[in-house]
Amino acid sequence: MPLTTGVNEDSGVAPVGGTWNLSPIEWPMSPSEVSSLSHQIEDGDAGRVLALAGRLDADSTGAVWTDLARAVETAPGSIVIHAEKVDYCDGFGAGLLLDLQRRALAKGRALRIEGLQPAFQEMVGAFDPEHYKTLDIGRGAQTSAVTSIGQAATDVVKDLRGFVTFIGELALALIWAVRNPRSVRWKDAIRTAEVAGADALPVVVLVGFLIGFVMAFQSAIPMREYGADVFVASLVGLAMVRELGPIMTAVALAGRSGAAFAAELGTMKVNEEISALTTMGLSPARFLIVPRVIAAVLMTPILTIFANAAGIAGGYIVFISLGHPTVLFQEQLRLYIDMNDLMGGLIKAFVFGMIVAGVGCMRGLQTTTGASAVGRSTTSAVVSSIVIVSLTDGLFSVIYFFLDF
Amino acid sequence: MASHEDTIIQVRNFTAAYGDSVVIDDISFDVHRGEIFVILGGSGCGKSTLLKHMIGLYEPKTGSIAFGGDDIVTARGDKRVEILRRFGVMYQLGALFGSMTLLENVRLPLEEYTDLPPDAMDLIATTKLDLVGLREFAGHMPAEISGGMQKRAAIARAMALDPGILFLDEPSAGLDPITSAELDDLIKRLSRSLQITFVIVTHELPSIYAIANRVIMLDKRVKKIVADGDPNDLRENSDNPWVRQFFNRQAEEHSKP
């Protein structure tokens, strides 16, 4: 039962080494064929015979690998590989022959390679099929769902513990900064304030404006049905000043500066710059985190004021386009928004700024090694910031409710 | 020493420059099959520049760099890829992909350039790691192994497609003498058993004496090759005093206080 597959150009060359002691095999040849390896599988008295001819290399072995592996695994008895006509064999050929050997070994079949040139033999002999009986490619043991859940829970607890430690360190560093204002690196703080504050102004104003505009527009349509569209002014004003201004500014800050802090500190960690600071006796918290937190804490309320103003301006445009006079808009704002609302929002912004800068720096310092580690830190800086800002916002709502603020 | 009939890389009238500043000025040399060929020279002489041009990362100002007659400088598209496949490169810091295990690092070129079945790729990649003695670490991430092991893994990755030539950029830099000697042994073994041609940039003298069968030496003052031959021979017999000085590790006269 001759199974003939594979066609080649080189197989017509005379056997290179040894004698061709098989019953004559008719190699299907055609000069136009580009494949450079051919094989024939035949069952004879001596067992299954695999005859190879041509080049055993990266380009040729892929096409025949599966066929040959199957031929070895389904062999009824012993297997002989005739390799006299193999005129080139590199690591891929050695890999193929090794694979066939280990498959035969696994099936308990004897496998003999005959006629392989001594130079190639050495390469094939470099790997012991016994050692490759099982291919442990070390992808790590599969963990059960229970283990994964436990691992995740432990990670959350560890993360929380790290967070508490970091809050403590940050608090100490800030107390130190208040006591030693001359030692604070104000130059860094001002530079960061410029990048995190002034440079963020266009995006914060744009987003604030659009939120105010869209909110006013969307609410004006149903409110108009009840003749309540004058309240659009107070709706936009209150929502911006108390909630959306600070939250939106914090989210923009997290995306711009929190991520930047994490990436910057993470890269410093990977480059051992943090270690260098530590061994110089300088505290990374004082040296790197304090200026960033101060900058963010001072800038966030200012950005929030701009966001509030832009949002209210957006609402105002919708308001006057509904045909109401400007004075009515002013009156609505005066009636419904007082200083407490404004201050409540700015206090939140102050805290949010601290959270975003602190979390960004913390994630940066938690960076492990490798190129992907900085990416992970940056992602988790933004995600953690937004989650913590949202939770804190909820907490503020409760506190303000009880304080009647 | 390897036979010298067989030229595998041919560099002709090669000039490298960064902008207007010429680093290497009109040099020509051949690398022969099976050689362990070392590019040597003081700091800033253009060793790494030459290597980066040879592997096609930079384009020379003038000249050609031919692999078996095919010029990498002018080759484009598929032809260029075909030339690039003939050699592997180990970068100074290993340049392993940090997000992949060692096995995945070695497997990557196999996935891209061969049509092997997946388990065959695993087997081939494992044999490459076996050759550099890292089979047990196949599932480790690069960050989890030492610097010397990273370099060995980088050699395994460079060998993934069985290239005839391996370029190594400062293989011993940052390694302790024992690890460095192990790496030298590995290079010699691969050269002997797989007949791989090595082109190595280094200035580690012990390593050069141990492995090189030919060195060329660049001098930044003349921007040319000032020595070409067997390192032991050059140390004793070079007619260039600076070359003898270099091999004998003497400080240069004008650099002394």
Side-chain angles (χ1 to χ4, degrees):
Chain A
M1 177 197 74
L3 304 155
T4 308
T5 39
V7 185
N8 78 81
E9 54 173 357
D10 291 336
S11 56
V13 297
V16 178
T19 46
W20 195 239
N21 53 5
L22 256 184
S23 53
I25 291 171
E26 285 179 23
W27 295 97
M29 278 181 300
S30 147
S32 61
E33 299 286 348
V34 283
S35 164
S36 53
L37 173 69
S38 69
H39 70 290
Q40 224 181 33
I41 302 162
E42 212 170 71
D43 284 334
D45 298 337
R48 181 160 285 184
V49 175
L50 313 181
L52 302 173
R55 291 172 65 85
L56 286 174
D57 62 16
D59 295 321
S60 63
T61 47
V64 300
W65 199 298
T66 314
D67 269 1
L68 292 174
R70 199 180 310 123
V72 166
E73 287 190 330
T74 58
S78 60
I79 303 139
V80 183
I81 297 176
H82 283 282
E84 289 88 349
K85 286 192 174 181
V86 169
D87 48 27
Y88 179 81
C89 173
D90 63 11
F92 287 84
L96 173 63
L97 294 174
L98 173 67
D99 193 37
L100 300 182
Q101 282 175 304
R102 76 185 184 99
R103 281 173 198 273
L105 206 63
K107 290 273 170 191
R109 305 261 182 271
L111 184 144
R112 219 167 58 245
I113 300 172
E114 284 182 356
L116 191 67
Q117 289 184 46
F120 305 150
Q121 251 169 34
E122 200 179 320
M123 202 177 309
V124 177
F127 307 106
D128 184 354
E130 277 288 345
H131 290 161
Y132 283 83
K133 229 167 151 181
T134 55
L135 198 58
D136 173 25
I137 50 172
R139 292 255 163 79
Q142 290 285 326
T143 46
S144 70
V146 178
T147 316
S148 304
I149 293 170
Q151 189 73 49
T154 319
D155 287 348
V156 169
V157 172
K158 216 187 274 173
D159 198 39
L160 281 178
R161 191 181 294 164
F163 197 66
V164 172
T165 314
F166 183 78
I167 291 173
E169 264 181 52
L170 182 59
L172 282 179
L174 289 175
I175 292 169
W176 165 86
V178 171
R179 285 192 180 161
N180 307 283
R182 282 167 178 274
S183 309
V184 174
R185 297 180 61 84
W186 290 108
K187 228 187 233 173
D188 286 353
I190 291 168
R191 187 184 58 86
T192 312
E194 189 188 334
V195 175
D199 295 355
L201 194 59
V203 67
V204 167
V205 166
L206 177 72
V207 175
F209 177 82
L210 287 175
I211 286 183
F213 186 90
V214 171
M215 190 167 45
F217 192 73
Q218 293 295 344
S219 52
I221 300 164
M223 283 167 88
R224 189 158 213 188
E225 300 215 349
Y226 300 98
D229 53 345
V230 286
F231 296 109
V232 162
S234 49
L235 176 104
V236 171
L238 261 184
M240 282 310 295
V241 167
R242 284 190 74 108
E243 288 293 336
L244 292 178
I247 283 264
M248 194 214 65
T249 309
V251 170
L253 194 78
R256 277 187 93 255
S257 308
F261 294 165
E264 203 177 340
L265 266 58
T267 311
M268 288 180 79
K269 176 91 184 285
V270 171
N271 290 342
E272 295 189 294
E273 290 173 46
I274 305 279
S275 309
L277 275 179
T278 312
T279 49
M280 280 180 210
L282 302 170
S283 149
R286 292 180 191 175
F287 204 81
L288 299 170
I289 302 173
V290 164
R292 286 173 172 76
V293 170
I294 289 177
V297 158
L298 294 181
M299 285 299 118
T300 322
I302 298 175
L303 284 174
T304 304
I305 291 173
F306 278 98
N308 290 345
I312 291 170
Y316 169 71
I317 289 175
V318 175
F319 191 80
I320 54 165
S321 66
L322 291 172
H324 300 298
T326 305
V327 66
L328 191 57
F329 189 80
Q330 288 172 333
E331 200 52 36
Q332 281 285 322
L333 290 186
R334 204 169 21 239
L335 267 175
Y336 286 94
I337 302 173
D338 58 18
M339 208 53 187
N340 276 357
D341 296 317
L342 187 66
M343 288 317 291
L346 292 184
I347 291 169
K348 273 199 219 176
F350 183 84
V351 175
F352 291 168
M354 191 176 296
I355 291 170
V356 168
V359 169
C361 293
M362 179 183 82
R363 292 298 186 211
L365 291 181
Q366 285 172 345
T367 305
T368 50
T369 48
S372 56
V374 177
R376 272 199 304 276
S377 299
T378 314
T379 310
S380 75
V382 176
V383 173
S384 311
S385 296
I386 293 176
V387 168
I388 297 171
V389 162
S390 310
L391 290 176
T392 315
D393 191 49
L395 197 64
F396 267 115
S397 301
V398 176
I399 294 172
Y400 285 175
F401 176 77
F402 282 112
L403 292 180
D404 201 16
F405 200 54
Chain B
M1 200 187 286
S3 142
H4 279 203
E5 276 89 62
D6 219 352
T7 297
I8 193 162
I9 310 173
Q10 197 176 46
V11 177
R12 286 291 172 271
N13 305 109
F14 169 82
T15 299
Y18 293 112
D20 288 335
S21 113
V22 172
V23 183
I24 300 170
D25 186 17
D26 193 20
I27 62 169
S28 298
F29 61 90
D30 289 344
V31 179
H32 306 108
R33 196 178 299 279
E35 266 180 348
I36 299 181
F37 182 92
V38 169
I39 301 169
L40 183 66
S43 300
C45 70
K47 302 185 295 288
S48 288
T49 302
L50 174 57
L51 186 91
K52 282 173 181 150
H53 280 86
M54 289 174 83
I55 60 180
L57 284 181
Y58 299 163
E59 209 162 290
K61 192 167 185 199
T62 59
S64 67
I65 297 160
F67 291 79
D70 300 316
D71 189 358
I72 194 170
V73 179
T74 52
R76 294 287 177 270
D78 288 348
K79 182 74 198 166
R80 190 177 168 83
V81 173
E82 195 262 307
I83 298 173
L84 291 176
R85 274 191 58 178
R86 295 185 210 169
F87 58 79
V89 184
M90 189 211 84
Y91 293 91
Q92 217 175 97
L93 300 173
L96 295 169
F97 303 117
S99 56
M100 300 178 180
T101 63
L102 299 194
L103 188 99
E104 288 163 343
N105 261 284
V106 180
R107 206 174 182 273
L108 182 70
L110 302 175
E111 288 166 13
E112 293 301 313
Y113 286 114
T114 70
D115 53 357
L116 297 177
D119 56 342
M121 287 188 202
D122 286 335
L123 180 79
I124 297 276
T126 308
T127 60
K128 303 298 176 197
L129 287 171
D130 205 356
L131 281 175
V132 298
L134 288 177
R135 190 177 161 193
E136 312 305 315
F137 297 89
H140 283 58
M141 304 301 276
E144 296 166 351
I145 58 174
S146 71
M149 286 156 94
Q150 287 184 12
K151 292 197 176 195
R152 268 150 58 198
I155 292 182
R157 187 181 65 184
M159 292 196 309
L161 292 170
D162 266 286
I165 309 166
L166 279 183
F167 288 93
L168 311 184
D169 191 4
E170 305 259 10
S172 329
L175 297 185
D176 67 82
I178 296 171
T179 315
S180 176
E182 281 170 6
L183 203 59
D184 290 344
D185 284 343
L186 173 67
I187 293 167
K188 276 196 289 193
R189 190 158 53 78
L190 294 175
S191 158
R192 201 174 47 238
S193 62
L194 305 178
Q195 280 90 46
I196 294 177
T197 307
F198 281 89
V199 178
I200 305 174
V201 165
T202 183
H203 40 215
E204 295 282 321
L205 284 173
S207 176
I208 292 164
Y209 293 131
I211 58 173
N213 41 36
R214 195 168 143 224
V215 299
I216 59 166
M217 194 159 171
L218 298 169
D219 184 352
K220 67 177 167 192
R221 285 164 291 194
V222 292
K223 302 181 170 94
K224 298 222 184 258
I225 296 173
V226 288
D228 182 346
D230 179 277
N232 290 301
D233 191 39
L234 290 174
R235 172 167 61 175
E236 304 301 330
N237 306 323
S238 173
D239 44 11
N240 185 328
W242 184 74
V243 173
R244 286 200 307 274
Q245 227 174 29
F246 192 102
F247 279 107
N248 292 302
R249 295 184 66 116
Q250 289 166 353
E252 289 181 64
E253 286 303 319
H254 59 75
S255 68
K256 284 180 183 170

